[in-house]
Structure formats: C-alpha cells, structure tokens
C-alpha cells in the first residue's frame, strides 16, 4: 500500500512508520523539521517531505499521488493548543478535513 503519514518524526508517527515499513508498505512522510539523523529516513521504501501541513499548495500536490491511506499524526501539544483557536484548528483539524 502507498501510505501518507503526517508528523513522521513525532513519537507516534515514527513508531507507526517503522511498523508499516516492516510490513513492506511504501511510505511518504511529512515533517516540518529536518531530522535526517532518524534511522527511518534511510529506508528505501520511504519518501520524506519537509513542509508545513498548512501549506495548501503542498497538500494539493500530495493529493495527486493517490495514496491508499492517510495517517494524520500532526498535532499541537496541550500547551500550544491553549493559544489562538484559529491556529490550533489550522494544524490539528483542517489538514485532515
């Protein structure tokens, strides 16, 4: 399967990615930061895209890849989520909508 995972460098995103790679799935992952030291970056069945989940042009481009599944793991922590509700909505809700 072709699977798109947001937040691929996060705790849950990286564990889910490792599990799915072991099963032989083709993964495309989105991260906002370049953590190239992460061992999952060196797997042949993975494409890492560095970008912002709120970037509509990037999301439009990714939609053309026709993934079989999307796993949305990007989320602000509870401290960041106490701020501007529009910002929280733009990160935690709208991308998966």
């Amino acid at each position: 399967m072709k699977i798109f995972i947001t937040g691929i460098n996060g705790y849950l995103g990286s564990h889910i990615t490792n599990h799915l790679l072991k099963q032989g799935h083709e993964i495309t992952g989105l991260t906002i930061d370049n953590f190239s030291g992460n061992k999952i970056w060196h797997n042949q069945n993975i494409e890492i895209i560095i970008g912002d989940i709120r970037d509509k042009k990037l999301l439009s481009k990714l939609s053309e890849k026709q993934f079989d599944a999307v796993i949305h793991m990007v989320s602000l922590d509870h401290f960041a989520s106490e701020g501007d509700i529009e910002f929280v909505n733009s990160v935690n809700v709208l991308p998966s909508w």
Side-chain angles (χ1 to χ4, degrees):
M1 286 182 70
K2 289 175 57 177
I3 303 172
F4 178 59
I5 302 174
T6 67
I8 198 164
N9 273 328
Y11 179 78
L12 292 175
S14 63
H15 280 53
I16 290 169
T17 298
N18 284 326
H19 176 75
L20 293 171
L21 286 171
K22 287 177 186 175
Q23 292 182 345
H25 297 286
E26 181 183 331
I27 306 293
T28 298
L30 178 67
T31 182
I32 199 162
D33 295 316
N34 180 357
F35 293 109
S36 59
N38 190 326
K39 65 182 177 181
I40 64 171
W41 288 59
H42 306 290
N43 190 298
Q44 293 179 7
N45 287 334
I46 192 167
E47 175 187 6
I48 302 292
I49 297 170
I50 299 171
D52 191 323
I53 192 70
R54 298 168 294 158
D55 182 343
K56 291 180 183 179
K57 288 182 183 177
L58 174 62
L59 293 178
S60 178
K61 188 176 179 181
L62 287 168
S63 70
E64 296 171 4
K65 292 187 175 234
Q66 299 182 357
F67 296 105
D68 298 307
V70 175
I71 302 173
H72 181 52
M73 298 307 306
V74 170
S75 181
L76 299 172
D77 64 24
H78 67 282
F79 294 111
S81 294
E82 292 176 357
D84 178 16
I85 191 68
E86 288 183 26
F87 173 68
V88 174
N89 193 40
S90 73
V91 174
N92 289 0
V93 179
L94 292 178
S96 57
W97 183 285

